[in-house]
Amino acid sequence: MILLALLPLLACVLPPQPEEGDVLTLSFCPDGLPCELVADGQSLITVEACVPEAVELLAEDLTLSLVTSGGLWIDGAQSSLSVPLGPDRCARPALTAPTHGPELLVEGTLAEVGVSAATSLTPASFGGLALTPSPATLNPQAPNLILLTVSAWGDDGARVSDGSLAALTVLDSEGADVLVSPAERLLDPNGEATFTVTSAGGLTELTLRVVLSAPTWDGVSRPANLSEDVTLVGE
């Protein structure tokens, strides 16, 4: 009975257990280090993990483990990375951004203490667009079957974000019936998509337009669309 009576008192006297975030902090984009939160497969994103000064380190050579939900650590590691804490009790590794979004998650573990941090990514802007028709000329006397390959890329040679869309329309076919299939298609991981263009009869001139649009991710800005036209003529 005496022990039971003391339990409430002991609960008040014992110090509270520290939160994991008080032992290890994890964040993105420390001041002065590269950090572009763009899903382009190329931008560098720096992560900062630190042990506050108020926490007593168990050893001098502690190793931090980091796991990312996308991108690659620039030291060659894939999703997982082990890195020692520096003299300032922090580690600041960088990774190349993934092409998917809208969220990038990093989980850190140090001496069995685990924390996580997430940040939003912005879809990549379009840097250029190339249209390659095959064949490149029309047959004025017979039906036409054309494969149109779309190739897109981001700024400075970066990749486009997953979910980027190419839409194909006929601007001018001089009155002839022309069918495009499909009307729109997602770009593949190489930034490419192929469309089929057919006409029931001969064609002397045909103008097509492709419009690229980035994926729509909640809470982040969307880059401008990019369009390109191509005109084919008969032999």
Side-chain angles (χ1 to χ4, degrees):
M1 297 295 294
I2 297 177
L3 178 59
L4 292 176
L6 288 176
L7 284 178
L9 179 61
L10 290 174
C12 296
V13 173
L14 291 176
Q17 292 297 312
E19 297 290 335
E20 292 178 338
D22 297 331
V23 177
L24 176 64
T25 64
L26 188 62
S27 60
F28 294 89
C29 301
D31 290 341
L33 293 178
C35 203
E36 295 290 335
L37 301 174
V38 182
D40 61 3
Q42 177 174 288
S43 294
L44 291 181
I45 300 175
T46 301
V47 177
E48 182 177 62
C50 294
V51 177
E53 290 292 339
V55 177
E56 182 180 354
L57 295 178
L58 300 177
E60 296 295 329
D61 56 350
L62 291 177
T63 298
L64 172 72
S65 296
L66 293 171
V67 178
T68 175
S69 64
L72 298 174
W73 299 103
I74 62 173
D75 71 343
Q78 299 293 313
S79 62
S80 300
L81 174 71
S82 294
V83 59
L85 293 179
D88 62 350
R89 303 161 64 97
C90 293
R92 299 179 182 88
L95 55 86
T96 56
T99 54
H100 63 75
E103 185 178 82
L104 176 66
L105 175 69
V106 172
E107 298 176 319
T109 305
L110 180 69
E112 299 184 357
V113 175
V115 294
S116 63
T119 188
S120 296
L121 301 180
T122 299
S125 299
F126 297 111
L129 168 62
L131 307 180
T132 306
S134 179
T137 57
L138 300 173
N139 187 337
Q141 282 80 42
N144 288 266
L145 173 61
I146 301 160
L147 295 180
L148 181 67
T149 300
V150 177
S151 300
W153 56 91
D155 292 330
D156 299 323
R159 294 162 60 189
V160 299
S161 298
D162 295 353
S164 295
L165 188 72
L168 176 62
T169 57
V170 177
L171 287 186
D172 184 16
S173 62
E174 297 191 334
D177 291 333
V178 174
L179 176 67
V180 299
S181 179
E184 57 185 28
R185 173 163 281 175
L186 290 174
L187 299 175
D188 68 17
N190 295 318
E192 296 185 349
T194 300
F195 296 86
T196 301
V197 182
T198 57
S199 69
L203 281 174
T204 57
E205 187 169 310
L206 174 65
T207 301
L208 303 170
R209 172 170 292 174
V210 172
V211 178
L212 299 181
S213 57
T216 301
W217 295 337
D218 292 341
V220 297
S221 60
R222 189 175 181 220
N225 292 350
L226 178 66
S227 65
E228 185 76 22
D229 299 345
V230 59
T231 298
L232 291 79
V233 297
E235 295 179 320

